[in-house]
Amino acid sequence: MSQSISDNMSQIISSEPMPLAQKTVTTKQRRPSQFNLNNIGVMTFLIAFAVYFLIPFFWLVISSTKSQADLFGTFGFWFSPDFHLFANLQQLFTFNGGIYARWLLNTLLYAGVGAVVGTFIASMAGYALAKYTFRGRNLTFSIILGAILVPATTLALPLYLLMSSVGLTNTYWSVLLPSLVSPFGVYLSRIYAASAVPDELLEAARMDGANEFTTFLIALNLMTPALVTILLFQFVAIWNNYFLPLVMLNDSNLFPITVGLQTWNVTATNATAGQTIYNLIITGSLLSSIPLLIGCIILQRFWRGGLGTGSIKG
């Protein structure tokens, strides 16, 4: 009897680890592979698109290091034996009386002031549409949505006639004033304010004695990710704007970089030396893209902060 009991116990003890071992093996077998075919396909797709978008910028960087002769006499996607980047920069800022520096400052003025003031105006309009109830609010918002669908180039001629009637053509204001309006900014501010700014917070601020402008400033802190997005979109759009300054301006001292480099491209011949200046156009194009890259790098931390604030509950 005791012998049978000991035999049964030994069988139980020896048989207990088996299901655990089998379960461990099964779990390891069912664990998804870190590099499966789907991941490889997605990564290949993303890398292909990244290469597609980075090739023009890579060519721009390579070409800006070449002289005028090497630009057309060497392979386009690799460096030439002679490195002429610093020589090109020096010639760029001294050519035609150093007017490129003036164009760069004009572009910073148009894009900087237009983006900051335009973002503030869009935030006020979006906040009002989201948090105030008044007659015609939905109609106003529908008109703003319709304005997003209108191409900016179609408004250049009416804006020119309007500015001409008040004597503002060929001035800084003819480019600045249209840049202050952002229908997309108003739309995004309205959507974000409606979802991210609690009505209870605004009511509590009013009960504590805050006026409407102070309440609006409180809401701006919660709208930071949307405001950063609007600011960057506005800055890039104004920086790359070509047709509006071309229509409004005829004084080269008021040109932004886009119009100025195009005038060099049209008349790409130095009247004194009889040499083309494509190397300066390419170097100027590379230099004009640096502020946009810096802006994206600096402002991306605000997007990370805005994504994280929604996961914290007080």
Side-chain angles (χ1 to χ4, degrees), residues 4-5 17 30 65 73 92 112-113 122 163 177 186 189 224 262 269 284 292:
S4 61
I5 294 175
R30 291 181 180 179
T65 63
L92 175 67
V113 176
M163 294 295 175
L177 290 179
V186 177
S189 297
T224 300
Q262 179 61 23
T269 302
L292 301 180

Short mmCIF file of all heavy atoms in Angstrom, two decimals, residues 4-5 17 30 65 73 92 112-113 122 163 177 186 189 224 262 269 284 292:
data_model
loop_
_atom_site.label_atom_id
_atom_site.label_comp_id
_atom_site.label_asym_id
_atom_site.label_seq_id
_atom_site.Cartn_x
_atom_site.Cartn_y
_atom_site.Cartn_z
N SER A 4 2.57 1.74 -3.33
CA SER A 4 1.71 2.34 -4.36
C SER A 4 1.53 3.83 -4.14
O SER A 4 1.45 4.62 -5.09
CB SER A 4 0.35 1.62 -4.37
OG SER A 4 -0.30 1.77 -3.12
N ILE A 5 1.40 4.22 -2.86
CA ILE A 5 1.25 5.66 -2.59
C ILE A 5 2.50 6.43 -3.00
O ILE A 5 2.44 7.50 -3.60
CB ILE A 5 0.94 5.88 -1.09
CG1 ILE A 5 -0.43 5.29 -0.76
CG2 ILE A 5 1.00 7.34 -0.74
CD1 ILE A 5 -0.76 5.36 0.72
N PRO A 17 5.89 19.59 -13.51
CA PRO A 17 6.64 20.59 -14.28
C PRO A 17 6.37 20.53 -15.78
O PRO A 17 6.64 21.49 -16.48
CB PRO A 17 8.11 20.24 -14.00
CG PRO A 17 8.08 19.43 -12.75
CD PRO A 17 6.79 18.67 -12.81
N ARG A 30 4.58 31.56 -29.63
CA ARG A 30 3.51 32.46 -30.06
C ARG A 30 3.90 33.93 -29.99
O ARG A 30 3.18 34.79 -30.44
CB ARG A 30 2.28 32.24 -29.17
CG ARG A 30 1.60 30.91 -29.39
CD ARG A 30 0.37 30.77 -28.51
NE ARG A 30 -0.28 29.48 -28.71
CZ ARG A 30 -1.36 29.09 -28.04
NH1 ARG A 30 -1.90 29.91 -27.12
NH2 ARG A 30 -1.90 27.92 -28.29
N THR A 65 28.45 73.54 -52.57
CA THR A 65 29.89 73.49 -52.29
C THR A 65 30.73 73.55 -53.55
O THR A 65 31.96 73.43 -53.46
CB THR A 65 30.23 72.20 -51.52
OG1 THR A 65 29.94 71.06 -52.34
CG2 THR A 65 29.41 72.10 -50.23
N GLY A 73 30.36 70.59 -64.47
CA GLY A 73 31.41 69.71 -64.98
C GLY A 73 31.67 68.49 -64.12
O GLY A 73 32.52 67.68 -64.49
N LEU A 92 28.06 85.48 -52.32
CA LEU A 92 26.61 85.68 -52.22
C LEU A 92 26.26 86.97 -51.48
O LEU A 92 25.37 87.71 -51.91
CB LEU A 92 25.98 84.47 -51.50
CG LEU A 92 24.49 84.53 -51.20
CD1 LEU A 92 23.68 84.49 -52.50
CD2 LEU A 92 24.07 83.39 -50.29
N GLY A 112 8.17 86.42 -39.92
CA GLY A 112 8.13 86.50 -38.46
C GLY A 112 6.93 87.27 -37.94
O GLY A 112 6.15 86.76 -37.13
N VAL A 113 6.78 88.50 -38.44
CA VAL A 113 5.65 89.31 -37.98
C VAL A 113 4.33 88.72 -38.44
O VAL A 113 3.36 88.65 -37.67
CB VAL A 113 5.81 90.76 -38.50
CG1 VAL A 113 4.59 91.61 -38.13
CG2 VAL A 113 7.08 91.39 -37.93
N ALA A 122 -5.74 84.52 -35.26
CA ALA A 122 -6.46 83.26 -35.48
C ALA A 122 -6.89 82.64 -34.17
O ALA A 122 -7.99 82.07 -34.06
CB ALA A 122 -5.59 82.30 -36.28
N MET A 163 -5.07 97.08 -52.46
CA MET A 163 -3.93 97.84 -51.95
C MET A 163 -3.62 99.05 -52.81
O MET A 163 -3.20 100.10 -52.31
CB MET A 163 -2.70 96.92 -51.87
CG MET A 163 -2.81 95.80 -50.88
SD MET A 163 -2.90 96.41 -49.16
CE MET A 163 -3.18 94.88 -48.28
N LEU A 177 0.03 92.76 -44.52
CA LEU A 177 -1.40 92.74 -44.16
C LEU A 177 -2.12 91.48 -44.66
O LEU A 177 -2.86 90.85 -43.89
CB LEU A 177 -2.09 94.00 -44.70
CG LEU A 177 -1.69 95.31 -44.00
CD1 LEU A 177 -2.42 96.50 -44.62
CD2 LEU A 177 -1.98 95.24 -42.50
N VAL A 186 -7.72 79.83 -37.97
CA VAL A 186 -8.99 80.03 -37.24
C VAL A 186 -9.71 78.71 -37.06
O VAL A 186 -10.25 78.41 -35.98
CB VAL A 186 -9.87 81.05 -38.00
CG1 VAL A 186 -11.22 81.20 -37.30
CG2 VAL A 186 -9.17 82.39 -38.09
N SER A 189 -7.81 76.60 -34.44
CA SER A 189 -7.99 77.18 -33.10
C SER A 189 -9.38 76.90 -32.56
O SER A 189 -9.55 76.58 -31.38
CB SER A 189 -7.74 78.69 -33.15
OG SER A 189 -6.42 78.98 -33.52
N THR A 224 -1.56 75.59 -26.58
CA THR A 224 -0.19 75.72 -27.08
C THR A 224 0.12 74.81 -28.26
O THR A 224 0.70 75.27 -29.26
CB THR A 224 0.81 75.48 -25.94
OG1 THR A 224 0.59 76.45 -24.91
CG2 THR A 224 2.24 75.59 -26.44
N GLN A 262 14.56 84.51 -57.83
CA GLN A 262 13.98 84.31 -59.16
C GLN A 262 14.44 85.39 -60.12
O GLN A 262 14.65 85.12 -61.31
CB GLN A 262 12.46 84.29 -59.06
CG GLN A 262 11.75 84.11 -60.38
CD GLN A 262 12.11 82.79 -61.06
OE1 GLN A 262 12.54 81.83 -60.42
NE2 GLN A 262 11.93 82.73 -62.38
N THR A 269 23.06 86.34 -65.47
CA THR A 269 24.31 86.71 -66.12
C THR A 269 24.84 87.95 -65.44
O THR A 269 24.13 88.94 -65.28
CB THR A 269 24.11 86.99 -67.62
OG1 THR A 269 23.56 85.83 -68.23
CG2 THR A 269 25.43 87.35 -68.28
N GLY A 284 22.20 80.47 -52.16
CA GLY A 284 21.16 81.26 -51.52
C GLY A 284 19.92 80.45 -51.19
O GLY A 284 19.28 80.66 -50.15
N LEU A 292 13.88 77.52 -41.70
CA LEU A 292 12.74 76.60 -41.59
C LEU A 292 13.11 75.34 -40.82
O LEU A 292 12.33 74.86 -40.00
CB LEU A 292 12.25 76.24 -42.99
CG LEU A 292 11.79 77.41 -43.87
CD1 LEU A 292 11.34 76.90 -45.23
CD2 LEU A 292 10.69 78.19 -43.21
#
